[in-house]
Amino acid sequence: MLNKTYKQEILSYFFSMDIDQLRYFLKDEYTYSETTKEIFLNEIESVFEAHRNSGDTELLLYPGVCNGKTCENCGKQGYRFVGNNSKNYTDLIFEIEGDDITDIYSCGEFKSEPEISGLNTKASIFINLDDRVSFPKSASYWARVYAAQDAYGELITAPPRKLSFDEMRYWLNKHAELYHRLGGYEVFKPHLRWTPFLMLYSDLNELVSFILDNLDEIRQANQSIIDITTEEELIEWVLKYETVFDTATMGLICMADKDSEDLYYDKRNPYFPEGEPFKEIVHFLKCYMSANDKLLRKYSIYTSEEKSELYSFENSDMDVPDLYSLRFHLEQREELEKAGVHLPFYLLKKR
């Protein structure tokens, strides 16, 4: 039996998701995805772990090429790696000289041969700007990195720690100067090693600001809903507190949408908030979503199919109204009634 070539050997370790063999055999003298072998393989290891967590035991290989017509890599060869159970996948270009692999990087417009149907989630190799070998790393750069990592590590631990509202405020005040010195967080800014700190700071600052601005009103809402006995009173309650709900952070809404009331769900920055402010807010959000959903099922002016169509990809460029706003549907019904159009109730199917 003929010995495998170097290329075949490396591909076999991708097939078996053997990160240890890749660390040993992939050559150190080249950069991969504009970064070092170590950082590149850390990203590959994360891809492998995601596949294993999805039930995959191997990655099926399909050859292909970059099909990006305006891409400088158009026509370069690579492979689509597909999980044997999940059908999650990743597309990688392999630059080869002779039998040597000189670079490996993600492809955004890959065409495999044959084409595979039923693919699920695509993973890509993401390299921070400052993880590229060309990025200059001065002493001041490293000082900022270490300061951000230390600040981040104060809150984000394994396992996740409990965190009170007062601790959040203290941490935000303590690291405000560092946050502004690092330029703050913006979604489309290049990711650097201190970006996790900036994201955490931005999220917590939004959360704390929401609590400070709305906690008293939320306490009143929680107290007043206890005495509601009629649908008219419930409608009035939902309309009164619509603005408060609309300004809640997505993290809080995700937390309230789960069975557990004490887990603040954020897979990037997991932690457990504790204390009265969070319990009040989660209770309010649960009550609001339940009441709003109940009333929308009766008063929606659209069927489930019409609602799905309005929110479809084909209509993503349209100015679609907030179909989850009870106020919108009530106002539209009033206008239709004035025009002589009488819509039936309960057009939405119960979830």
Side-chain angles (χ1 to χ4, degrees):
M1 184 175 182
L2 295 175
N3 291 331
K4 291 180 180 178
T5 65
Y6 173 67
K7 171 186 169 184
Q8 291 170 334
E9 197 80 33
I10 294 300
L11 289 175
S12 73
Y13 301 140
F14 273 91
F15 169 81
S16 59
M17 297 190 286
D18 194 332
I19 193 65
D20 292 330
Q21 292 291 72
L22 282 175
R23 292 191 193 281
Y24 185 79
F25 282 102
L26 196 63
K27 295 182 179 179
D28 295 301
E29 57 261 38
Y30 299 111
T31 61
Y32 306 91
S33 299
E34 299 185 81
T35 192
T36 63
K37 167 186 163 179
E38 177 187 8
I39 293 174
F40 170 74
L41 288 181
N42 287 341
E43 291 293 310
I44 293 294
E45 184 175 18
S46 296
V47 173
F48 289 172
E49 288 177 355
H51 276 287
R52 291 194 182 93
N53 291 337
S54 299
D56 297 325
T57 57
E58 59 191 29
L59 300 183
L60 307 178
L61 280 65
Y62 298 88
V65 297
C66 174
N67 197 41
K69 303 305 181 185
T70 61
C71 177
E72 61 182 12
N73 298 317
C74 185
K76 290 186 177 179
Q77 298 181 334
Y79 297 88
R80 173 163 285 169
F81 299 89
V82 182
N84 62 327
N85 288 310
S86 70
K87 299 202 84 170
N88 296 336
Y89 68 104
T90 188
D91 298 328
L92 297 175
I93 299 297
F94 283 66
E95 292 202 1
I96 296 174
E97 295 179 7
D99 190 40
D100 227 5
I101 299 173
T102 60
D103 202 354
I104 308 172
Y105 47 87
S106 288
C107 179
E109 298 184 63
F110 193 81
K111 181 177 177 62
S112 65
E113 290 294 341
E115 293 191 29
I116 308 112
S117 61
L119 292 173
N120 287 319
T121 304
K122 178 180 178 178
S124 297
I125 303 303
F126 181 81
I127 305 299
N128 286 339
L129 176 64
D130 53 352
D131 279 330
R132 297 177 185 176
V133 294
S134 60
F135 188 90
K137 298 177 176 66
S138 63
S140 63
Y141 159 81
W142 284 114
R144 285 176 286 170
V145 169
Y146 296 144
Q149 289 175 343
D150 288 346
Y152 182 84
E154 290 177 12
L155 296 191
I156 305 305
T157 59
R161 60 167 290 186
K162 292 182 178 180
L163 192 59
S164 72
F165 177 65
D166 288 338
E167 286 174 311
M168 289 183 185
R169 294 184 67 184
Y170 173 80
W171 185 86
L172 288 169
N173 289 331
K174 178 181 177 181
H175 298 295
E177 187 276 333
L178 176 61
Y179 177 78
H180 294 295
R181 178 154 52 94
L182 295 178
Y185 177 68
E186 295 177 18
V187 174
F188 297 109
K189 285 176 67 173
H191 278 228
L192 301 165
R193 293 193 185 197
W194 52 66
T195 298
F197 161 73
L198 296 178
M199 293 171 65
L200 175 62
Y201 191 99
S202 178
D203 288 346
L204 282 184
N205 191 55
E206 183 183 22
L207 172 60
V208 166
S209 296
F210 173 79
I211 293 174
L212 290 173
D213 291 342
N214 297 286
L215 185 57
D216 288 342
E217 192 170 3
I218 284 172
R219 287 179 177 135
Q220 294 172 7
N222 290 341
Q223 188 62 39
S224 63
I225 198 172
I226 296 173
D227 300 322
I228 289 177
T229 57
T230 67
E231 182 182 84
E232 289 75 17
E233 291 173 333
L234 190 62
I235 291 173
E236 183 180 352
W237 186 89
V238 168
L239 296 180
K240 180 177 180 179
Y241 295 107
E242 180 183 56
T243 301
V244 176
F245 178 83
D246 286 345
T247 56
T249 70
M250 283 306 301
L252 282 170
I253 292 173
C254 288
M255 179 169 67
D257 205 27
K258 294 184 175 297
D259 293 334
S260 172
E261 291 197 358
D262 61 355
L263 175 61
Y264 181 81
Y265 179 74
D266 185 339
K267 58 187 175 182
R268 298 170 311 182
N269 303 314
Y271 56 87
F272 294 89
E274 61 177 359
E276 184 265 349
F278 297 107
K279 290 180 180 178
E280 288 280 358
I281 289 168
V282 168
H283 180 69
F284 164 75
L285 294 174
K286 284 181 178 292
C287 289
Y288 187 93
M289 288 188 288
S290 175
N292 196 57
D293 186 59
K294 174 185 176 181
L295 293 169
L296 280 180
R297 285 199 300 271
K298 179 176 180 179
Y299 290 103
S300 173
I301 64 171
Y302 297 113
T303 65
S304 299
E305 292 75 17
E306 289 170 335
K307 181 179 174 183
S308 297
E309 178 64 25
L310 283 168
Y311 278 142
S312 67
F313 178 78
E314 289 77 10
N315 292 328
S316 58
D317 293 332
M318 292 176 56
D319 186 17
V320 179
D322 182 3
L323 303 187
Y324 293 95
S325 168
L326 176 65
R327 186 182 305 277
F328 165 77
H329 292 278
L330 292 177
E331 289 175 350
Q332 292 301 305
R333 279 183 174 272
E334 184 178 352
E335 292 298 318
L336 290 169
E337 287 289 337
K338 289 178 181 178
V341 179
H342 304 288
L343 284 182
F345 294 131
Y346 298 106
L347 294 174
L348 272 182
K349 295 177 182 177
K350 185 174 181 178
R351 291 189 299 177

